[in-house]
């Protein structure tokens, strides 16, 4: 192991504790020589890319041979996969035969492009539905194939799930973020919640100057309270509900509301939803809507740190990384009582779970009023993340899974 790798692991040990690092090392030792390939559909934007940017170097630091492949496709392909995503999270949709053929065709083409790598790897981890059909087109597979589902599959629109299930059953195992998301499948299913990297640009400590710089750049007022939601512009993130909640709460307490986010390469809905949000915010004082570039990690970090309260009022959510990011920064989070957020926010202890804009408004009002409560919840939130949702625990769980399926 190189000195650099040692240094990296040592840094993580200081934040996450020595024990988890020892466990990671012991597991990696037994997997030495194994080639691991992660496959997803975007290199930036969204939680999966965020995790892989941190996970791949950390796995490499443990001496593993890890690569990350991103499937490519035309915009129409991502239209279809975004519909899949929405349907798997419960929305009724209709897809034509032609669209399904396009989805399969892109998977076939990408399987051909990546064939040698995927065939030779000891472990292939395929993230989410976009590349799920690769398995159908890679013959003579040598290794174990794992389907990692990051979305809330608890109440899928069945016609779409049936289509996907046809290939998911061919994987050796699948991973879900919560037990509720799993589906009847003929192979072992593992529950592994996602995580954040405390040293990424998104989460590292910032100086007060760095935070102030972002206030200045965005034209925000550092002397007044601020409530923030960071999200892709996506109806499931309920940005309109957030604006409504702010309107209700503002009758009692003044604050700046910031809705900031960008798109992801595999999400074609972003622009339309962004326009809707801009429209809804028009004429409302103190509502700031920012479209961010994919590289805006430090801006997001600073906004989360500058916030008094962070919202993630999602209507469906596999696991909201933004929730964990904010909690790591010591912020109370008001989150939608849905999916993974119910696991991330300990209601009344690290924040509040809400079902409606009215509920969110009530909690905003309460937390802005009681500074002490904000601090207490924020403190508990950070510790909860340290113990459960750091990247080190995540890597350890993946390695343990890999060992367990080949035993
Ligand atoms: N994110 C980002 N830029 C944006 C919006 C989000 O970098 O404009 C990041 C955000 O900080 C988080 C991830 O993308 O790390 C979003 O993950 P989450 O699980 O919250 O939602 P997803 O987009 O995967 O549904």
């Amino acid at each position: 192991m190189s000195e650099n790798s040692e240094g990296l692991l040592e840094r993580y040990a200081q934040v996450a504790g020595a024990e988890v690092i020892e466990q990671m090392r012991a597991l990696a030792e037994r997997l030495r020589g194994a080639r691991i390939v992660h496959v997803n559909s975007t290199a930036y934007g969204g939680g999966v890319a965020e995790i892989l940017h941190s996970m791949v170097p950390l796995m490499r630091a443990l001496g593993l041979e890890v690569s990350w492949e991103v499937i490519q496709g035309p915009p129409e392909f991502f239209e279809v996969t975004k519909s899949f995503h929405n349907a798997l999270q419960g929305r009724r949709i209709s897809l034509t035969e032609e669209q399904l053929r396009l989805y399969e065709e892109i998977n076939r083409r990408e399987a051909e492009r990546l064939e040698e790598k995927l065939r030779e790897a000891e472990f292939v981890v395929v993230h989410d539905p976009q590349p799920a059909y690769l398995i159908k087109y890679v013959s003579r597979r040598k290794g174990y194939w794992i389907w990692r589902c990051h979305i809330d599959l608890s109440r899928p629109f069945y016609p779409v799930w049936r289509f996907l299930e046809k290939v998911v059953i061919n994987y050796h195992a699948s991973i879900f973020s919560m037990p509720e998301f799993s589906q009847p499948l003929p192979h072992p299913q593992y529950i592994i919640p996602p995580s954040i990297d405390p040293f990424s640009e998104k989460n590292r400590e910032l100086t007060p100057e760095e935070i102030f710089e972002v206030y200045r750049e965005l034209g925000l007022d550092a002397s007044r309270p601020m409530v923030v939601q960071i999200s892709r512009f996506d109806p499931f993130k309920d940005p309109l509900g957030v604006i409504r909640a702010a309107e209700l709460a503002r009758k009692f307490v003044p604050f700046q509301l910031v809705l900031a986010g960008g798109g992801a390469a595999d999400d074609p809905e972003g622009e339309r939803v962004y326009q809707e949000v801009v429209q809804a915010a028009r004429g409302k004082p103190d509502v700031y809507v920012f479209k961010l570039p994919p590289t805006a990690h430090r801006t997001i970090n600073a906004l989360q740190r500058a916030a008094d309260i962070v919202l993630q009022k999602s209507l469906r959510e596999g696991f909201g990384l933004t929730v964990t990011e904010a909690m790591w920064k010591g912020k109370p989070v008001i989150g939608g009582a849905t999916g993974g957020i119910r696991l991330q926010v300990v209601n009344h202890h690290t924040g509040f779970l809400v079902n409606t804009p009215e509920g969110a408004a009530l909690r905003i009002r309460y937390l802005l009023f009681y500074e002490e409560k904000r601090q207490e919840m924020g403190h508990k939130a950070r510790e909860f993340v340290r113990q459960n949702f750091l990247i080190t625990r995540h890597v350890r769980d993946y390695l343990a899974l890999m060992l367990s399926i080949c035993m």
Side-chain angles (χ1 to χ4, degrees):
M1 220 174 276
S2 73
E3 214 170 313
N4 267 352
S5 303
E6 271 308 317
L8 186 72
L9 293 175
E10 186 45 42
R11 272 179 84 200
Y12 280 103
Q14 277 166 20
V15 171
E19 197 180 333
V20 66
I21 306 294
E22 280 318 306
Q23 293 163 340
M24 282 161 58
R25 280 186 210 274
L27 292 163
E29 191 51 45
R30 296 185 57 191
L31 288 165
R32 191 156 301 275
R35 280 156 299 183
I36 300 168
V37 184
H38 288 277
V39 188
N40 83 323
S41 61
T42 178
Y44 66 83
V48 181
E50 189 78 20
I51 290 168
L52 290 176
H53 275 293
S54 298
M55 180 172 277
V56 171
L58 187 51
M59 284 184 152
R60 285 184 183 149
L62 290 162
L64 297 167
E65 207 178 302
V66 187
S67 60
W68 172 11
E69 302 296 336
V70 178
I71 60 161
Q72 292 153 18
E76 304 80 50
F77 170 73
F78 292 112
E79 293 282 348
V80 178
T81 58
K82 186 68 203 288
S83 297
F84 273 23
H85 178 102
N86 291 341
L88 293 170
Q89 297 209 121
R91 206 180 294 160
R92 296 177 71 85
I93 59 151
S94 62
L95 285 169
T96 62
E97 279 298 317
E98 196 188 339
Q99 285 176 307
L100 294 179
R101 260 202 308 279
L102 172 71
Y103 168 78
E104 282 213 41
E105 174 52 23
I106 298 300
N107 269 266
R108 191 198 58 73
R109 195 190 75 192
E110 291 299 283
E112 200 174 290
R113 182 172 70 84
L114 301 169
E115 185 156 32
E116 208 180 305
K117 263 203 150 147
L118 298 179
R119 178 177 288 151
E120 292 305 313
E122 275 73 26
F123 297 96
V124 177
V125 186
V126 173
H127 296 261
D128 282 339
Q130 296 90 328
Y133 261 68
L134 288 178
I135 193 167
K136 179 169 170 184
Y137 299 107
V138 178
S139 56
R140 289 178 284 119
R141 297 181 300 274
K142 193 172 142 199
Y144 294 96
W145 282 57
I146 300 159
W147 186 56
R148 200 310 176 210
C149 176
H150 292 268
I151 56 192
D152 177 350
L153 205 61
S154 52
R155 282 167 292 168
F157 177 53
Y158 277 98
V160 172
W161 169 238
R162 294 271 175 265
F163 174 77
L164 207 65
E165 191 188 19
K166 280 196 260 180
V167 292
V168 170
I169 56 175
N170 296 320
Y171 285 76
H172 294 90
S174 44
I175 308 177
F176 296 94
S177 297
M178 289 181 82
E180 291 85 337
F181 299 170
S182 66
Q183 288 291 327
L185 287 166
H187 57 224
Q189 299 183 45
Y190 294 80
I191 306 303
I192 303 183
S195 63
I196 60 158
D197 180 356
F199 298 120
S200 68
E201 190 62 10
K202 179 73 54 66
N203 296 312
R204 71 173 174 84
E205 297 293 326
L206 294 180
T207 62
E209 292 73 39
E210 282 175 311
I211 298 173
F212 191 74
E213 183 62 23
V214 170
Y215 271 113
R216 213 180 43 77
E217 266 169 32
L218 299 179
L220 297 165
D221 182 349
S223 67
R224 296 179 49 230
M226 194 161 96
V227 176
V228 170
Q229 174 160 305
I230 306 288
S231 278
R232 286 179 297 105
F233 289 98
D234 179 322
F236 281 134
K237 311 286 184 185
D238 199 19
L240 300 183
V242 168
I243 293 178
R244 173 85 190 120
E247 259 185 307
L248 292 168
R250 208 174 272 126
K251 292 182 185 152
F252 305 92
V253 273
F255 60 92
Q256 305 165 91
L257 173 71
V258 174
L259 282 159
D266 61 353
D267 178 6
E269 274 185 314
E271 186 55 33
R272 180 182 58 76
V273 180
Y274 170 71
Q275 292 303 340
E276 272 174 29
V277 176
V278 168
Q279 191 62 31
R282 192 157 292 153
K284 300 203 170 69
D286 261 353
V287 179
Y288 301 88
V289 183
F290 300 116
K291 184 147 64 155
L292 302 175
T295 48
H297 303 300
R298 191 186 315 171
T299 306
I300 291 174
N301 188 343
L303 282 172
Q304 288 167 331
R305 287 179 192 279
D308 295 279
I309 302 169
V310 170
L311 295 186
Q312 189 56 57
K313 217 202 97 25
S314 303
L315 304 170
R316 286 272 195 291
E317 191 72 72
F319 185 96
L321 280 191
T322 49
V323 170
T324 300
E325 288 162 4
M327 289 171 69
W328 180 244
K329 289 156 192 141
K331 303 298 166 177
V333 173
I334 300 176
T338 183
I341 297 179
R342 286 181 290 131
L343 182 80
Q344 297 175 268
V345 171
V346 185
N347 202 10
H348 295 271
H349 291 279
T350 67
F352 291 106
L353 293 172
V354 297
N355 291 292
T356 58
E358 289 73 14
L362 189 76
R363 299 314 189 184
I364 293 173
R365 190 180 151 193
Y366 172 83
L367 282 174
L368 283 182
F369 201 73
Y370 293 108
E371 191 190 342
E372 249 171 58
K373 207 63 194 162
R374 289 203 302 274
Q375 301 222 334
E376 182 195 318
M377 285 187 158
H379 180 72
K380 287 188 193 163
R382 183 171 166 96
E383 280 315 302
F384 191 62
V385 173
R386 190 195 308 281
Q387 284 166 28
N388 297 288
F389 299 126
L390 293 182
I391 187 84
T392 38
R393 186 276 304 152
H394 199 178
V395 167
R396 181 198 64 195
D397 289 355
Y398 272 25
L399 300 183
L401 179 163
M402 286 171 189
L403 264 181
S404 81
I405 51 174
C406 58
M407 281 209 283

